[in-house]
Amino acid sequence: GESVGLHLPTLSVQEGDNSIINCAYSNSASDYFIWYKQESGKGPQFIIDIRSNMDKRQGQRVTVLLNKTVKHLSLQIAATQPGDSAVYFCAGNLTGNQFYFGTGTSLTVIP
Amino acid sequence: KAGVTQTPRYLIKTRGQQVTLSCSPISGHRSVSWYQQTPGQGLQFLFEYFSETQRNKGNFPGRFSGRQFSNSRSEMNVSTLELGDSALYLCASSGSGTENTEAFFGQGTRLTVV
């Protein structure tokens, strides 16, 4: 089946540092990707998306980079805060609004 | 604008029973997708409904079914429950039918099968 793998299952960063979470995808036909944040006991929360006609997209404190050549995307969080502690998922599209998800990276921010 | 609403939040069922979960999408959204989330398998796609029609289906047995109503609200049903069906069931709502757009999730229904 399709997969979106993550390079590291856990990541710990100091408060104020930048975080980088990586993701590799397998389906070359995927042309739309979303990063989600999931806190304990809650559903995934949309962070930022990117389409395949872009290499980079910026939001508030977050940046997503897409490298279609190696089928890799990353999420950068600037000035990481304790409230950023959560599990982060990348998702790639298939047909319709069907997405396949990675297993997630657990980000812990150390005060 | 209200977000995606899933009910109930928690359910405990016995093996062999059936269960129905409900999802109300964001107003104006016509696409509703369902996912199963477990610690071991992560988020797995169940099916997607758009304008009352199942548009996509994941690799789950026929015990898992769903439907969508004319107001875009959706239900999913699991029959003959097994212990392995214990999971967080998430519903995602999307607006457009022709191009992928943001999919917003509800809080999920935590199903425990005993």
Side-chain angles (χ1 to χ4, degrees):
Chain A
E2 300 298 341
S3 67
V4 181
L6 291 161
H7 292 198
L8 290 172
T10 61
L11 176 65
S12 294
V13 298
Q14 288 289 143
E15 181 178 357
D17 286 353
N18 296 334
S19 303
I20 299 177
I21 301 172
N22 295 303
C23 181
Y25 62 94
S26 59
N27 191 332
S28 300
S30 294
D31 60 3
Y32 178 63
F33 302 89
I34 303 177
W35 278 100
Y36 286 95
K37 170 187 179 184
Q38 187 173 25
E39 296 172 282
S40 181
K42 297 184 178 180
Q45 175 188 355
F46 176 94
I47 301 173
I48 191 168
D49 60 356
I50 188 167
R51 298 193 184 277
S52 59
N53 60 354
M54 302 173 71
D55 297 323
K56 178 179 179 180
R57 188 155 191 237
Q58 288 184 292
Q60 187 176 16
R61 286 202 304 119
V62 294
T63 301
V64 56
L65 299 177
L66 175 62
N67 184 329
K68 295 178 288 294
T69 303
V70 295
K71 292 187 284 188
H72 179 273
L73 66 160
S74 66
L75 176 71
Q76 301 177 2
I77 305 173
T80 314
Q81 303 168 359
D84 294 328
S85 293
V87 177
Y88 290 81
F89 295 95
C90 61
N93 71 322
L94 293 173
T95 57
N97 283 312
Q98 178 180 351
F99 287 88
Y100 57 101
F101 286 77
T103 52
T105 291
S106 177
L107 174 66
T108 300
V109 181
I110 304 165
Chain B
K1 225 180 199 183
V4 181
T5 304
Q6 290 188 248
T7 56
R9 287 294 309 278
Y10 304 93
L11 265 178
I12 300 176
K13 289 286 187 178
T14 305
R15 271 184 303 173
Q17 286 186 312
Q18 73 163 13
V19 66
T20 299
L21 312 180
S22 179
C23 172
S24 293
I26 292 170
S27 178
H29 284 191
R30 293 195 290 163
S31 168
V32 174
S33 300
W34 288 90
Y35 292 83
Q36 180 195 67
Q37 186 176 30
T38 59
Q41 300 295 321
L43 274 147
Q44 293 192 292
F45 175 78
L46 281 155
F47 29 66
E48 181 210 0
Y49 286 86
F50 180 78
S51 293
E52 301 180 64
T53 301
Q54 187 181 84
R55 186 161 67 171
N56 292 291
K57 189 177 190 304
N59 297 322
F60 277 80
R63 300 186 297 109
F64 292 81
S65 62
R67 59 178 175 168
Q68 187 179 34
F69 302 95
S70 59
N71 62 357
S72 293
R73 189 177 71 85
S74 176
E75 289 180 346
M76 70 161 280
N77 185 277
V78 188
S79 62
T80 320
L81 283 166
E82 301 176 0
L83 294 178
D85 296 333
S86 295
L88 181 66
Y89 290 88
L90 292 159
C91 153
S93 156
S94 299
S96 171
T98 55
E99 185 182 58
N100 288 125
T101 58
E102 303 96 321
F104 297 96
F105 282 87
Q107 298 277 52
T109 294
R110 172 73 62 185
L111 173 65
T112 302
V113 182
V114 298

